Amino acid sequence: MARDRNPVNHVPELHAQEGDRLTTAQGAGVDDTDHSLTAGPRGPVLLEDHHLREKITHFDHERIPERVVHARGAGVHGAFRAYGNAASVTKAAFLATPDEETEVFVRFSTVLGSRGSADTVRDVRGFATKFHTSEGTFDLVGNNFPVFFIQDAVKFPDIIHAGKPEPDREIPQAQTAHDTFWDFIGSHTESTHMAMWAMSDRGIPRSYRTMEGFGVHTFRMEAADGTTSLVKFHWKPALGIHSQVWEEAQITQGADPDFHRRDLYDSIAAGAFPQWELGLQIMPDTVDETFEGIDLLDPTKIVPEEICPVQAVGLLTLTEAPENFFAETEQVAFHVDHVVPGIQVTNDPLMQGRLFSYLDTQLTRLGGPNFAQLPVNRPRTAVNDMFRDGMHQQAVHSGIVAYKPNQIDDDLPRTSPEGEDAFVTIPTPVSGEKGRHHPVSFTDHFSQARLFWLSLTPVEQAHEVEAFTFELGKCLRQEVKEGVLASLACVDTDLVARVAAGLGLPVPDGEVPDGVVPSPALSQIPAEPGRVDGRVVGVLVADGGDLSPVADLRTAYADEHVVVRVIATHGGEVSGSSGETESADRTLLTTRSVEYDAVVIATGVAGSVVAAEPRTAVLLQEAFRHGKPVVALGDGVDLLTSTGVDTSAPGVLACESVRDCVQPLRDALGMHRSWERLSMFAG
Ligand code: HDE
């Protein structure tokens, strides 16, 4: 999967890190970079010191504006290959043919936090993919939720202003648990469905690798024979959908604010390449653009998979961390309107507003209109756009003709009126009166919020109740809480009663929609154990104890690239009972339970100095409370008992040898957590 890091279109080679000599930006050698030019040993610094001024000036300008939303993100390279079955709906070559491997760059992000904020906050996640296709760049700029807060782009500044830190004291950072956010949600009933997603476990993913992705809007696809369809994009993670629990997410924010980006790069380094299948919901292109009564132009609605199944059409594999965060992750520029022949936008008013915003925002962020020339953004196809000049122009265009039509260059470059190798807009009819309309089909704001609630299992519903109660509990104003409760009263009577009880407020009346049919596909609890690639198992060991489980587990799970980490009381080498040694990956001081999907206690830890460490109890109790598999080998059971962990609880495995626990632990990891145990802690 080689990547052309330096595709050149008339661009002279950039000399950036050549040779072993330190130079100025102009290429002159530098004699000394540690001492400024001064008049005398203790005299004033001279303006004449070009190297000093150039070095500091460049440093002063190292930052570009962070993204106004989605500032915090992590990028990664990979490839996409289609299965070939999408050829019946789209002529886009990268989707239609399995013969072509398409280079991709994906950027995952949170929405509200600044660039340095924590990864594991409760928020929607961006899932933006740049496909460098043979027909030009296609950007699928999606999220990990299939719906959005608002129906019209004109409200986007409002929802974002409300969610961002409040402007007087600029707090809270990267949090929705504050008055202005919930004031907006309570005042916009169309946001209720998205708020249900945000308060569910989907708002706190365990990993980018375990999130679904969605294009949200409906797209129009065109096949080679000219037939068109309305389509929704889905990303289905190979590892299933897996989230943190709220306490775990909060601890992680402090213990490892880089948790998600670290997980992404660590899993790639371990050989567990993250994968997603790209799926399509394909619906007929009808005049009214609805499906089974659902307005396909309304971005607050899903089409349940039970009535329109998701068809897998290709596989995305992420294989390579960026070489340089700034050059790639920070400078990548996505745009909803970067589409290729075979994929077109629709009249969804949210999508239409985005068509303006993404191009516009790059002008400020990347300093001008030539951002497509930045290495990470360069199309992998030939470019001949007749654009000239502008800030940061890197091409040296030749010739005198930069206009069309022209006689001097035989009217080159040519257009393709017949569309043989060009993007041609599908001639969809448009009519209507100009006006600031509010379509009737956009006025149902609660039936799908209810659909989501009814589709969750009891433990997921308990998490939803807890999240609403937490977030509204952090609001200071009574009217804000009451506004949201009024909306929840139109979703479900049990939901609103439980949240109101937690807040100590009266339960408002509301009209709950009738006849809503749940969509079991929305629950994220797996029916059976899934893949466990790249999961992290912590093994608690002690000097003088049995260290063999470390190597045995590594061998047992080698094919799945499960990462087995040694946790001890001290760094360096740990010596086992038979004279064997293992290197400590973490100490009880440097680790926290949140780093592990499961914890194993080796024989010989109970009764050791590890057992006496107060942090051991914290580690085990947290893992237990968060529903993680906990394995006690041999006398490890005694340690669990002494730290107050119920050894008879579901997902606590007592085994005599590693051999006995390999399969049960794999199954437990494949279920993500012990849902039965989590239910014990759910309100
Ligand atoms: Fe975005 N959004 N957005 N958004 N969005 C941006 O573009 C905007 C929306 C999404 O990793 C900005 O380059 C408007 C929906 C992702 O670089 C900006 C509206 C969805 C990313 C912008 C929306 C998204 C962005 C900020 C309402 C899911 C990160 C920086 C109409 C389908 C891309 C930038 C990355 C980023 C505008 C709503 C996803 C300001 C006006 C719906 C994943 O242009």
Side-chain angles (χ1 to χ4, degrees):
M1 236 168 272
R3 250 180 330 109
D4 183 3
R5 289 194 176 282
N6 213 354
V8 180
N9 291 331
H10 303 291
V11 184
E13 197 62 47
L14 183 70
H15 302 288
Q17 272 183 306
E18 250 177 45
D20 57 5
R21 184 177 72 117
L22 181 69
T23 71
T24 65
Q26 301 302 323
V30 172
D31 62 335
D32 180 344
T33 190
D34 293 326
H35 301 95
S36 302
L37 192 69
T38 53
R42 301 175 66 228
V45 175
L46 301 178
L47 200 56
E48 177 186 331
D49 188 346
H50 170 75
H51 176 56
L52 166 71
R53 280 182 292 115
E54 187 188 54
K55 186 175 175 181
I56 290 190
T57 304
H58 196 280
F59 170 76
D60 290 346
H61 297 269
E62 274 181 6
R63 295 288 171 270
I64 59 173
E66 65 174 35
R67 289 166 175 82
V68 60
V69 283
H70 296 266
R72 170 80 183 170
V76 60
H77 296 274
F80 174 80
R81 192 181 282 276
Y83 298 149
N85 53 337
S88 55
V89 274
T90 180
K91 61 184 179 186
F94 82 101
L95 280 178
T97 164
D99 306 331
E100 203 168 296
E101 187 174 79
T102 302
E103 191 189 322
V104 302
F105 187 80
V106 177
R107 185 173 178 275
F108 300 107
S109 50
T110 53
V111 176
L112 289 177
S114 289
R115 210 183 123 180
S117 57
D119 280 343
T120 61
V121 297
R122 184 179 289 284
D123 198 354
V124 59
R125 298 299 185 286
F127 189 147
T129 308
K130 188 173 282 296
F131 295 85
H132 292 288
T133 89
S134 58
E135 297 169 305
T137 303
F138 170 60
D139 288 345
L140 183 55
V141 200
N143 278 345
N144 73 327
F145 301 171
V147 288
F148 203 64
F149 286 113
I150 48 175
Q151 294 166 317
D152 189 320
V154 71
K155 291 184 185 178
F156 191 63
D158 300 311
I159 171 72
I160 298 302
H161 288 169
K164 284 271 183 185
E166 295 179 6
D168 51 353
R169 298 184 295 166
E170 214 190 24
I171 51 178
Q173 176 59 239
Q175 306 288 327
T176 47
H178 60 114
D179 280 325
T180 53
F181 177 76
W182 288 104
D183 187 20
F184 183 94
I185 300 297
S187 324
H188 290 80
T189 47
E190 74 203 59
S191 302
T192 313
H193 187 192
M194 176 84 162
M196 294 293 293
W197 280 80
M199 294 305 110
S200 77
D201 293 343
R202 307 266 186 160
I204 42 173
R206 150 70 179 86
S207 161
Y208 293 135
R209 300 179 289 137
T210 58
M211 303 186 315
E212 280 188 300
F214 303 90
V216 176
H217 314 286
T218 303
F219 290 73
R220 179 169 277 107
M221 281 192 171
E222 185 184 21
D225 65 5
T227 53
T228 60
S229 318
L230 294 175
V231 171
K232 281 185 179 286
F233 286 102
H234 293 247
W235 288 115
K236 296 280 186 191
L239 297 179
I241 316 161
H242 181 192
S243 293
Q244 293 194 306
V245 293
W246 180 227
E247 185 189 53
E248 185 187 10
Q250 287 177 295
I251 295 169
T252 313
Q253 288 169 35
D256 185 4
D258 305 307
F259 188 73
H260 283 151
R261 62 171 65 166
R262 193 189 306 283
D263 168 88
L264 188 63
Y265 302 137
D266 281 357
S267 68
I268 289 175
F273 299 129
Q275 288 190 317
W276 286 259
E277 276 193 314
L278 182 66
L280 301 180
Q281 282 183 300
I282 303 163
M283 293 154 289
D285 189 359
T286 54
V287 178
D288 61 2
E289 297 168 315
T290 63
F291 182 77
E292 300 282 327
I294 300 165
D295 190 335
L296 296 177
L297 302 187
D298 178 354
T300 65
K301 300 290 189 303
I302 62 160
V303 176
E305 292 185 28
E306 289 76 8
I307 60 172
C308 184
V310 176
Q311 301 179 39
V313 298
L315 184 67
L316 169 72
T317 309
L318 301 180
T319 51
E320 204 184 326
E323 190 80 23
N324 180 274
F325 185 91
F326 180 83
E328 300 170 269
T329 306
E330 201 55 9
Q331 295 202 121
V332 67
F334 295 97
H335 184 13
V336 186
D337 214 10
H338 290 163
V339 286
V340 291
I343 306 174
Q344 306 217 351
V345 302
T346 56
N347 291 335
D348 169 347
L350 194 69
M351 190 183 209
Q352 293 278 315
R354 294 179 76 198
L355 301 181
F356 164 73
S357 183
Y358 290 72
L359 192 52
D360 178 55
T361 202
Q362 311 309 344
L363 302 181
T364 302
R365 239 171 47 72
L366 299 171
N370 289 314
F371 57 86
Q373 295 181 354
L374 292 167
V376 68
N377 296 323
R378 285 180 197 170
R380 303 307 192 250
T381 49
V383 172
N384 200 349
D385 54 19
M386 289 293 225
F387 304 152
R388 292 293 183 267
D389 308 344
M391 289 279 197
H392 315 302
Q393 175 62 255
Q394 291 171 56
V396 181
H397 294 105
S398 57
I400 57 170
V401 175
Y403 54 87
K404 274 186 71 66
N406 69 71
Q407 298 173 57
I408 299 174
D409 274 353
D410 292 335
D411 202 19
L412 289 173
R414 61 174 175 79
T415 54
S416 305
E418 304 307 319
E420 35 319 340
D421 55 0
F423 181 92
V424 181
T425 302
I426 300 167
T428 40
V430 179
S431 69
E433 279 175 15
K434 276 188 197 172
R436 298 190 183 275
H437 297 284
H438 190 200
V440 177
S441 56
F442 277 31
T443 52
D444 167 17
H445 297 164
F446 296 118
S447 64
Q448 287 216 345
R450 177 163 177 74
L451 184 157
F452 184 75
W453 167 257
L454 294 179
S455 306
L456 300 179
T457 57
V459 62
E460 292 170 298
Q461 288 186 338
H463 290 171
E464 182 94 29
V465 169
E466 187 189 58
F468 268 110
T469 314
F470 175 92
E471 298 258 326
L472 294 173
K474 290 276 188 177
C475 293
L476 304 176
R477 292 168 176 80
Q478 194 78 348
E479 67 273 22
V480 168
K481 303 179 200 197
E482 286 166 0
V484 178
L485 286 179
S487 290
L488 295 186
C490 302
V491 176
D492 188 81
T493 47
D494 180 40
L495 167 66
V496 69
R498 289 160 71 183
V499 176
L503 296 172
L505 289 174
V507 183
D509 290 333
E511 204 175 313
V512 173
D514 285 335
V516 173
V517 181
S519 163
L522 295 177
S523 164
Q524 61 180 88
I525 299 187
E528 55 190 41
R531 280 167 53 176
V532 298
D533 311 40
R535 293 294 159 92
V536 184
V537 175
V539 184
L540 194 59
V541 299
D543 282 307
D546 181 11
L547 301 185
S548 63
V550 175
D552 291 350
L553 286 171
R554 282 186 179 143
T555 308
Y557 298 133
D559 289 348
E560 290 131 310
H561 308 283
V562 167
V563 177
V564 177
R565 285 206 184 117
V566 176
I567 313 168
T569 46
H570 58 81
E573 298 288 301
V574 184
S575 308
S577 50
S578 326
E580 76 279 28
T581 59
E582 283 291 346
S583 299
D585 298 303
R586 298 284 192 275
T587 69
L588 286 165
L589 183 65
T590 60
T591 200
R592 198 76 193 248
S593 67
V594 294
E595 285 195 275
Y596 310 103
D597 294 296
V599 177
V600 175
I601 307 164
T603 308
V605 174
S608 74
V609 58
V610 180
E613 246 280 359
R615 291 186 179 94
T616 301
V618 173
L619 181 87
L620 296 174
Q621 285 162 2
E622 280 176 3
F624 180 75
R625 213 162 49 242
H626 301 157
K628 295 179 180 176
V630 178
V631 179
L633 293 168
D635 63 2
V637 176
D638 301 337
L639 178 61
L640 284 182
T641 310
S642 67
T643 52
V645 169
D646 175 2
T647 53
S648 64
V652 179
L653 309 168
C655 304
E656 271 318 303
S657 70
V658 167
R659 201 171 342 117
D660 299 338
C661 81
V662 166
Q663 192 54 41
L665 177 56
R666 180 186 280 119
D667 288 346
L669 280 170
M671 291 301 291
H672 307 317
R673 291 171 198 277
S674 166
W675 297 100
E676 218 182 318
R677 170 143 43 95
L678 266 189
S679 310
M680 291 163 39
F681 300 106

